[in-house]
Amino acid sequence: MKGLYFQQSSTDEEITFVFQERENLLVTEDNFVKLQVKACALSQINTKLLAEMKMKKDFFPVGREIAGIVLDVGSKVSFFQPDDEVVGILPLDSEDPGFCEVVRVHEHYLVHKPEKVTWTEAAGTIQDGVRAYTALHYLSHLSAGKSVLIMDGASAFGTIAIQLAHHRGAKVISTACSLEDKQCLERFRPPIARVIDVSNGKVHVAESCLEETGGLGVDIVLDAGVRLYSKDDEPDVKSQLLPHKHDIITLLGVGGHWITTEENLQLDPPDSHCLFLKGATVAFLNDEVWNLSNVQQGKYLCILKDVMEKLSTGVFRPQLDEPIPLYEAKVSMEAVQKNQGRKKQVVQF
């Protein structure tokens, strides 16, 4: 039985993906579930976080967003039984790769998969669903009538975030990084209030948002990265399309919430003073926040269940690429790690 792993170079800059033979899993421990994997989604690996957590291994398992069938359960498992169809996210310290036919996982990382949801839909939506809930429910308390700016709305995560915001009754504004993305966003139903095309670098995001909100500013901003410096100091072309931190502070309304994915965000005293005058807040969207806190396990399971319920009822309609076979996972992960591709890719077993 083969599984996909990655090995980090001595400089920690490059990683190599390799298939390795694994021993058959014989014993199922007390609170663990033995799972036959039917689908596993591809996502970027945060090597920096692994290093900060002192997780040093020769080979790290790859693939965490899984859906599959329960084969066996430990003696203390209370929520599942053999033949149950389940979905979940393997923890950071999992010994088993999701890109493998059989894995072991603690029952507290799994929920039941609705019958009408396919394997690829379940695995391909679970992580982005958790991120969207974390950003819009827990960090910004989204409610009906609020205005929300979702950057890069045509991305796999942006799509789910827009759908959740619409479901909550919010007014959604979004940015598009290309003509194709703009056309994709304009097809949304219910329609997005305004699609801001930033692909040519000439449109001012702050002005567009203030115009759309009658000068009041938006209640919530969910960014997809932010420029900390001027365009002339940003060598990366993609970074030049990102809004500057001053633009986001400008377009925030009174009492607004800025949810950022920029872990190295730097705010100068004038920036902080402007946020103070608006009574605005800044929160950091950390994908692994639920994984790093065992205290929040109950809330985490509620989110997983709600994501699956919304997928089952059609609230969530994920952007998924065509399923790929396991033997293509290595090449596909190399592309995902380089941030290539827009739609979510899923390996189907």
Side-chain angles (χ1 to χ4, degrees):
M1 184 169 61
K2 287 186 176 181
L4 186 63
Y5 295 79
F6 80 86
Q7 187 176 26
Q8 207 155 2
S9 67
S10 56
T11 61
D12 287 346
E13 291 180 359
E14 292 186 3
I15 62 176
T16 306
F17 295 95
V18 293
F19 278 108
Q20 285 197 325
E21 286 291 339
R22 303 184 64 231
E23 296 180 1
N24 289 329
L25 307 178
L26 300 176
V27 181
T28 307
E29 300 172 32
D30 290 348
N31 291 103
F32 280 72
V33 172
K34 186 177 177 181
L35 200 65
Q36 178 188 357
V37 180
K38 304 296 287 184
C40 180
L42 286 71
S43 292
Q44 275 190 316
I45 297 166
N46 190 339
T47 55
K48 183 178 178 182
L49 179 62
L50 293 175
E52 289 175 351
M53 294 182 65
K54 310 297 183 186
M55 297 179 69
K56 294 290 184 181
K57 300 179 184 177
D58 291 333
F59 295 93
F60 287 86
V62 178
R64 295 174 55 203
E65 301 131 76
I66 60 171
I69 300 173
V70 175
L71 297 176
D72 191 19
V73 297
S75 59
K76 294 184 179 180
V77 171
S78 54
F79 297 117
F80 305 103
Q81 58 188 10
D83 297 326
D84 281 353
E85 297 184 352
V86 298
V87 57
I89 303 173
L90 297 179
L92 272 174
D93 59 356
S94 173
E95 296 291 331
D96 299 340
F99 294 116
C100 188
E101 292 178 358
V102 179
V103 300
R104 292 165 302 184
V105 56
H106 196 287
E107 66 171 333
H108 289 164
Y109 292 102
L110 299 170
V111 295
H112 288 94
K113 179 185 77 68
E115 187 176 349
K116 63 171 67 175
V117 174
T118 67
W119 298 116
T120 54
E121 287 173 339
T125 308
I126 191 71
Q127 179 67 49
D128 288 331
V130 169
R131 288 190 77 200
Y133 261 85
T134 303
L136 298 178
H137 181 70
Y138 286 97
L139 297 180
S140 58
H141 310 292
L142 178 69
S143 58
K146 296 281 188 179
S147 59
V148 54
L149 169 64
I150 296 175
M151 304 287 190
D152 196 13
S155 65
F157 167 60
T159 297
I160 296 298
I162 288 173
Q163 290 165 355
L164 179 59
H166 272 156
H167 180 70
R168 293 284 175 86
K171 175 181 180 179
V172 178
I173 304 168
S174 187
T175 60
C177 301
S178 67
L179 177 59
E180 185 181 359
D181 286 354
K182 182 173 182 288
Q183 292 171 341
C184 171
L185 292 171
E186 288 173 342
R187 290 195 294 269
F188 266 75
R189 293 294 179 270
I192 295 171
R194 176 175 290 203
V195 177
I196 305 170
D197 185 359
V198 298
S199 59
N200 58 15
K202 296 178 181 178
V203 176
H204 201 284
V205 176
E207 288 181 3
S208 298
C209 289
L210 290 172
E211 181 181 310
E212 184 63 37
T213 57
L216 297 176
V218 299
D219 298 304
I220 298 166
V221 176
L222 175 52
D223 73 34
V226 60
R227 272 193 301 114
L228 302 178
Y229 314 104
S230 66
K231 287 187 178 181
D232 296 335
D233 297 327
E234 292 283 1
D236 185 10
V237 176
K238 287 186 177 179
S239 297
Q240 293 178 9
L241 296 179
L242 295 174
H244 193 277
K245 59 181 179 180
H246 296 152
D247 294 335
I248 294 181
I249 294 172
T250 299
L251 62 84
L252 268 178
V254 173
H257 301 282
W258 174 10
I259 313 303
T260 183
T261 58
E262 177 52 65
E263 60 185 59
N264 296 313
L265 180 67
Q266 300 175 29
L267 294 178
D268 301 318
D271 300 328
S272 298
H273 185 64
C274 188
L275 289 168
F276 167 77
L277 293 175
K278 293 187 175 189
T281 61
V282 179
F284 293 86
L285 180 56
N286 176 7
D287 291 8
E288 305 297 343
V289 66
W290 303 106
N291 244 304
L292 302 174
S293 174
N294 293 326
V295 180
Q296 304 290 340
Q297 200 66 47
K299 288 183 179 179
Y300 180 57
L301 287 175
C302 286
I303 295 174
L304 295 180
K305 291 175 183 176
D306 213 22
V307 169
M308 284 299 105
E309 187 270 332
K310 284 182 170 46
L311 187 57
S312 175
T313 56
V315 173
F316 288 157
R317 300 176 301 283
Q319 284 201 77
L320 302 179
D321 221 331
E322 289 296 318
I324 59 177
L326 179 60
Y327 64 82
E328 290 185 9
K330 178 179 178 293
V331 175
S332 298
M333 270 304 303
E334 290 170 351
V336 168
Q337 194 65 20
K338 294 175 183 175
N339 204 21
Q340 297 172 350
R342 300 290 285 164
K343 294 182 178 180
K344 194 80 168 182
Q345 289 186 300
V346 181
V347 167
Q348 188 169 22
F349 292 76

